[in-house]
Amino acid sequence: NAGVMQNPRHLVRRRGQEARLRCSPMKGHSHVYWYRQLPEEGLKFMVYLQKENIIDESGMPKERFSAEFPKEGPSILRIQQVVRGDSAAYFCASSPGVVETQYFGPGTRLLVL
Amino acid sequence: QQQVKQSPQSLIVQKGGISIINCAYENTAFDYFPWYQQFPGKGPALLIAIRPDVSEKKEGRFTISFNKSAKQFSLHIMDSQPGDSATYFCAATLGSSNTGKLIFGQGTTLQVKP
């Protein structure tokens, strides 16, 4: 059973470009969480999705950030018009249900030049 | 109220020693407390977790001690090994929110010297 897959593992963007981060949850998991880890800091919750629905986006910046988890395919975290402060590691986690163990992917390290 | 405070920020322990990392929380509605281990360049991996109805949980060399009245919990690593050198995060989740989002502590970087 493959773990949580994230791609790309590393992403370099120039200021103003768009970043698309993908997450494929573990087989059988329909709950996806995105977290952001700034350098030397802990992980901060961004958004929680179930298939085709955003359940909780209380940690997501109001502008430039969006997330989706379509019926088919991976979950996507999209950052428009990236700025240097967006440079961070973005982790996706999946679980089979609410308040179940969350399994994390290897992360996407975004660097904005 | 949503914060989880973790200490120390960094810890150096000799091989064979005991590593202790502490966390404190404010929100009494938190009902699930996992610890994650993260190696450089990797994602966090669940190490051990506890619910507030028990005061201690042990898995191998790893033990969580939970003090509900003090709103504190800690991770003890017995017989620490160089391979345990990693960053450790405590976390908590708010069952009543029905989202399961994890609130993480700031992390503790553990170095076990051979």
Side-chain angles (χ1 to χ4, degrees):
Chain A
N1 186 12
V4 178
M5 310 277 284
Q6 287 189 251
N7 66 81
R9 294 290 307 275
H10 299 273
L11 183 61
V12 180
R13 285 288 179 264
R14 296 192 179 279
R15 282 179 297 169
Q17 292 184 320
E18 179 180 288
R20 282 191 179 229
L21 289 61
R22 296 175 187 78
C23 168
S24 296
M26 288 179 70
K27 187 176 181 180
H29 289 192
S30 59
H31 300 250
V32 166
Y33 301 80
W34 286 92
Y35 294 85
R36 177 164 65 175
Q37 185 176 32
L38 294 169
E40 308 301 324
E41 292 189 16
L43 293 90
K44 304 289 187 189
F45 167 80
M46 298 181 74
V47 62
Y48 161 52
L49 312 98
Q50 293 181 28
K51 281 289 187 181
E52 300 186 273
N53 291 302
I54 296 174
I55 307 300
D56 182 351
E57 54 183 349
S58 59
M60 193 104 94
K62 294 289 186 286
E63 297 178 354
R64 302 187 298 107
F65 285 73
S66 63
E68 63 178 13
F69 189 15
K71 187 176 180 181
E72 301 291 337
S75 175
I76 306 284
L77 179 68
R78 182 183 178 201
I79 311 172
Q80 294 178 291
Q81 300 175 339
V82 296
V83 300
R84 288 209 175 120
D86 297 332
S87 295
Y90 292 82
F91 291 96
C92 164
S94 74
S95 72
V98 176
V99 202
E100 298 279 349
T101 299
Q102 293 181 25
Y103 296 87
F104 282 77
T108 294
R109 277 132 188 101
L110 172 65
L111 175 62
V112 180
L113 301 177
Chain B
Q1 274 221 330
Q2 291 280 4
Q3 280 188 329
V4 176
K5 295 184 179 179
Q6 183 173 345
S7 63
Q9 188 174 359
S10 61
L11 182 60
I12 299 174
V13 172
Q14 290 295 129
K15 179 183 174 181
I18 303 174
S19 304
I20 302 174
I21 305 171
N22 302 298
C23 285
Y25 64 97
E26 288 295 323
N27 194 333
T28 55
F30 285 148
D31 63 356
Y32 179 68
F33 302 87
W35 283 89
Y36 282 84
Q37 179 189 55
Q38 185 180 29
F39 292 104
K42 305 291 185 183
L46 179 69
L47 196 59
I48 187 172
I50 198 168
R51 295 194 184 272
D53 52 346
V54 297
S55 61
E56 186 175 280
K57 184 173 182 180
K58 184 176 181 179
E59 290 183 1
R61 296 184 295 109
F62 301 93
T63 299
I64 299 179
S65 297
F66 189 84
N67 187 330
K68 191 173 181 179
S69 61
K71 291 183 283 187
Q72 294 175 349
F73 58 110
S74 60
L75 175 69
H76 291 65
I77 306 175
M78 313 299 287
D79 188 26
S80 299
Q81 299 296 312
D84 297 331
S85 297
T87 300
Y88 293 81
F89 293 97
C90 62
T93 191
L94 194 61
S96 62
S97 74
N98 288 326
T99 68
K101 67 182 181 184
L102 292 169
I103 310 299
F104 282 89
Q106 298 89 332
T108 297
T109 301
L110 170 66
Q111 182 183 359
V112 181
K113 291 194 167 182

